[in-house]
Amino acid sequence: MNKRALAFLTLVIVLLTSGAFAAEPRQEPTEQEQARTLYIFHTPIVMLQAKFGLTTPEERVLRIRNTLRNFSQADVREPIKIVPVTRYNQQGKLFVMNGKPLMLLTQADLDEGDDLTLDQAAQRVLARLEAQRTALHDQYDTGWLVLSAVKTALGLAGCLLLIWGAWRSWRRVKRHFRRRIAENRGLIPKTWRRYVGAVEARLYALLMILLGMIAFYVWLSWAFSLFPWTRVWATSLGDWSLRVVRQIFLSIVSALPGLLIVLIIFIITAFILKLLKMVLNQVEAGRLQFPGLHPETVGATRKLLSVVVWLFALSAAYPFLPGANSLAFKGISVFFGLMLTLGSAGVMNHAMSGLVLIYSRALRKGDVIRVADNEGKVSEIGMLATKIITRENYVVTVPNAVVVSGKITNLSAQNNDGSINLTVSVTIGYDTPWRQVHAMLELAAKRTACVDLTTAPLVRQLALMDWYIAYELQVRLLPGQPLAAARNVLFSNIQDVFNEFNVQIMSPNFVMQPEGSVMVAKENWYPAPAAAPERDK
């Protein structure tokens, strides 16, 4: 019996480093104060301060611990008593268990800040010791252990039943949302109900998971408290949970003023952006004018102003954000700043090129342009790239830096109605009168239905080459006519007209000098369909 008692009584005294809540022990003890404090089952009993000869308070705590280890189970059954004594010329209180001295509390052990007499301090220490002795005696009883095991099993069954019920309720909630989606019930439209219902079901599942975790945590802490071997863990779990809840609550309360300031800053920012949007809408509609601001650039200006205003608001609200001064928050900020610095070189180049395109008004959405070997209609001018729909109905994405660095030919910028100027070139030999070529090209233009005849076709002679003359025909297409389709019809008509009047569209290259001069006689200056002016008739 003595060996068994010695084995389990060794666990009675646990000298741990933790906070205290008694009158004499410190609530936030230092390392020296912790060494002078007697702990039983993670509970502070008393802090000794008197030094007797060469015996320090720390050594007195160790001696009390060794004394407790020598008590038997029969000693634990007897209540602790206080015997007034005089030791080392000081009044003291000797704590006795079953006639065996346990510890000595003297006047020198008291702290003046506690404002307690020796009798009052002794009574408090006695109450704490008796609570631990009684709990130890009850819990090491065989009947108590059996009852604790039964309670633990029942508690586990209840916890598992609660978790099973939470899982069943989640399945019912999921079926409920599916039924509402199928029956199209509720105020939310069916197209949105599918996604909202899935989000609600997952939120409920998350709530049930948290409920199961809390239930398991409560059961585990309660089960640990039933047995003396795990009672320290139960106290630690309880203290940790209370400390976490308290810290969360205090953090929320302390963060409320800063969050209120952040909310005010964001409300003011939203109001400023709303005001700017109203002004820019008036500019876009042409009812208001500002120097340097055009309706074509209002969209980009609105985005730039929004970014600038929000960045300014974020800079102003940053110090008031919860955890803004923490090392983790600063580390994340530095990390994202480094990523932005390393990865934004090319992006910023394209973005600035996009701003150049927008504010120079070189391009507009719907313009027909020619960039390098790409020709088509502009469908989008983004911050990073410009998209062009070609005649093959392909979407070509050209980076803005490439667009700005090259030559841009805008075929429709000069016409306010969106019509396009189309030019085609042909080369005809010197033996064909130029007046006839002009007339044939004009006739081909008049036969093309997509050409706007209110603007007369224009024929130019671009160059007198070695063996032929280069002609150019310029026409104006009707608004909305596709460039590729119009070019195809005009080319077809040019070929038909030249075939009708027996004129070859070719470059008459020759390898030897002809016998006669390659020229047009004056009487042949106006062959059909050309008509001579009145002065030449």
Side-chain angles (χ1 to χ4, degrees):
M1 177 64 69
N2 291 335
K3 292 182 179 181
R4 181 182 177 186
L6 180 61
F8 66 74
L9 285 175
T10 302
L11 302 173
V12 173
I13 305 303
V14 181
L15 296 176
L16 299 173
T17 57
S18 64
F21 50 82
E24 297 81 14
R26 299 292 178 261
Q27 295 189 7
E28 295 182 0
T30 62
E31 292 183 1
Q32 183 181 12
E33 291 173 344
Q34 289 177 354
R36 294 181 176 183
T37 304
L38 175 65
Y39 290 90
I40 300 178
F41 282 154
H42 206 63
T43 302
I45 304 301
V46 66
M47 185 178 70
L48 304 178
Q49 301 187 83
K51 180 179 180 182
F52 301 137
L54 298 179
T55 305
T56 62
E58 292 82 358
E59 293 176 342
R60 293 176 59 195
V61 171
L62 293 177
R63 289 182 179 180
I64 296 172
R65 176 182 177 182
N66 293 330
T67 301
L68 287 171
R69 287 177 176 175
N70 294 326
F71 285 130
S72 64
Q73 187 174 5
D75 296 332
V76 176
R77 293 194 184 100
E78 299 296 329
I80 301 174
K81 299 179 180 179
I82 300 177
V83 179
V85 296
T86 302
R87 298 284 177 85
Y88 308 102
N89 298 323
Q90 296 184 33
Q91 295 293 325
K93 301 293 183 179
L94 181 63
F95 293 85
V96 179
M97 181 186 294
N98 196 21
K100 299 178 181 179
L102 173 61
M103 62 172 290
L104 176 65
L105 183 66
T106 65
Q107 188 69 33
D109 289 321
L110 304 182
D111 191 347
E112 295 181 358
D114 294 332
D115 196 19
L116 295 174
T117 64
L118 182 59
D119 292 335
Q120 293 174 340
Q123 291 299 323
R124 292 192 177 188
V125 173
L126 178 62
R128 298 182 197 122
L129 289 174
E130 274 294 304
Q132 300 302 321
R133 186 196 64 80
T134 305
L136 179 65
H137 177 265
D138 292 341
Q139 292 180 18
Y140 272 95
D141 183 77
T142 304
W144 174 270
L145 293 177
V146 173
L147 180 61
S148 298
V150 173
K151 290 181 179 179
T152 302
L154 293 177
L156 179 60
C159 180
L160 295 177
L161 182 62
L162 178 62
I163 295 175
W164 180 80
W167 178 72
R168 293 284 298 177
S169 66
W170 171 72
R171 295 195 60 180
R172 290 185 178 181
V173 168
K174 187 166 65 172
R175 286 197 300 267
H176 170 71
F177 284 120
R178 288 180 178 176
R179 186 167 57 253
R180 292 187 64 179
I181 294 172
E183 297 175 358
N184 194 18
R185 291 188 302 167
L187 299 177
I188 301 177
K190 187 176 182 179
T191 55
W192 288 94
R193 165 54 57 187
R194 185 184 307 275
Y195 304 102
V196 175
V199 171
E200 292 174 342
R202 283 170 172 79
L203 288 177
Y204 186 81
L206 179 61
L207 179 62
M208 293 298 100
I209 292 174
L210 291 177
L211 179 61
M213 293 175 62
I214 292 174
F216 180 77
Y217 182 88
V218 171
W219 169 82
L220 188 64
S221 178
W222 174 71
F224 282 162
S225 66
L226 297 178
F227 302 94
W229 309 284
T230 57
R231 195 173 189 183
V232 174
W233 299 345
T235 306
S236 300
L237 287 175
D239 292 343
W240 178 83
S241 60
L242 292 176
R243 184 166 59 252
V244 169
V245 172
R246 182 179 62 183
Q247 289 178 353
I248 293 175
F249 178 77
L250 293 178
S251 299
I252 293 174
V253 172
S254 60
L256 286 179
L259 292 176
L260 181 60
I261 295 176
V262 171
L263 179 61
I264 294 174
I265 292 175
F266 285 165
I267 290 176
I268 295 175
T269 302
F271 175 76
I272 294 174
L273 290 176
K274 187 70 174 179
L275 183 62
L276 289 175
K277 183 179 179 181
M278 294 173 58
V279 174
L280 292 177
N281 287 340
Q282 296 297 318
V283 175
E284 189 175 18
R287 291 188 289 268
L288 190 63
Q289 294 181 355
F290 284 99
L293 186 60
H294 304 277
E296 298 87 357
T297 61
V298 166
T301 304
R302 184 186 295 114
K303 295 178 181 178
L304 287 176
L305 290 178
S306 299
V307 171
V308 172
V309 172
W310 278 117
L311 286 178
F312 180 79
L314 184 60
S315 301
Y318 176 83
F320 302 100
L321 292 175
N325 296 324
S326 63
L327 295 178
F329 205 102
K330 294 178 180 179
I332 294 175
S333 301
V334 173
F335 175 73
F336 279 105
L338 182 62
M339 290 183 58
L340 183 63
T341 302
L342 295 178
S344 63
V347 175
M348 289 303 298
N349 184 23
H350 294 304
M352 296 306 296
S353 300
L355 293 179
V356 171
L357 288 176
I358 293 173
Y359 282 96
S360 65
R361 294 186 295 165
L363 301 178
R364 293 179 300 178
K365 183 178 180 180
D367 286 350
V368 179
I369 66 171
R370 185 182 297 119
V371 178
D373 57 347
N374 298 306
E375 181 183 83
K377 185 176 183 180
V378 177
S379 62
E380 180 182 348
I381 303 177
M383 292 298 296
L384 301 179
T386 300
K387 294 185 177 181
I388 303 173
I389 301 177
T390 64
R391 64 176 180 272
E392 300 93 346
N393 204 25
Y394 297 159
V395 178
V396 179
T397 302
V398 184
N400 287 333
V402 177
V403 177
V404 172
S405 62
K407 183 181 72 172
I408 306 173
T409 304
N410 196 328
L411 305 179
S412 58
Q414 292 297 109
N415 302 326
N416 296 327
D417 57 356
S419 59
I420 304 172
N421 293 331
L422 173 61
T423 58
V424 295
S425 298
V426 294
T427 54
I428 308 298
Y430 282 95
D431 55 344
T432 303
W434 64 266
R435 295 176 180 85
Q436 183 184 20
V437 176
H438 281 225
M440 287 189 294
L441 291 176
E442 292 173 359
L443 178 60
K446 293 177 182 179
R447 290 183 179 180
T448 305
C450 56
V451 173
D452 185 4
L453 297 179
T454 58
T455 301
L458 179 61
V459 180
R460 302 184 184 93
Q461 298 185 36
L462 298 181
L464 301 177
M465 311 300 291
D466 290 341
W467 303 302
Y468 51 79
I469 303 173
Y471 296 90
E472 180 185 75
L473 171 64
Q474 177 178 328
V475 296
R476 183 174 179 177
L477 302 181
L478 293 172
Q481 294 296 325
L483 180 62
R487 184 184 287 117
N488 179 62
V489 175
L490 182 58
F491 281 176
S492 301
N493 290 331
I494 290 175
Q495 295 178 62
D496 291 341
V497 171
F498 276 68
N499 288 333
E500 289 177 11
F501 295 97
N502 297 320
V503 176
Q504 291 182 339
I505 302 177
M506 60 177 294
S507 299
N509 297 338
F510 51 85
V511 297
M512 60 183 298
Q513 181 68 26
E515 295 181 357
S517 300
V518 180
M519 57 175 294
V520 180
K522 186 175 182 180
E523 60 272 14
N524 295 326
W525 281 7
Y526 301 100
E534 293 295 334
R535 58 182 176 82
D536 291 338
K537 292 183 179 180

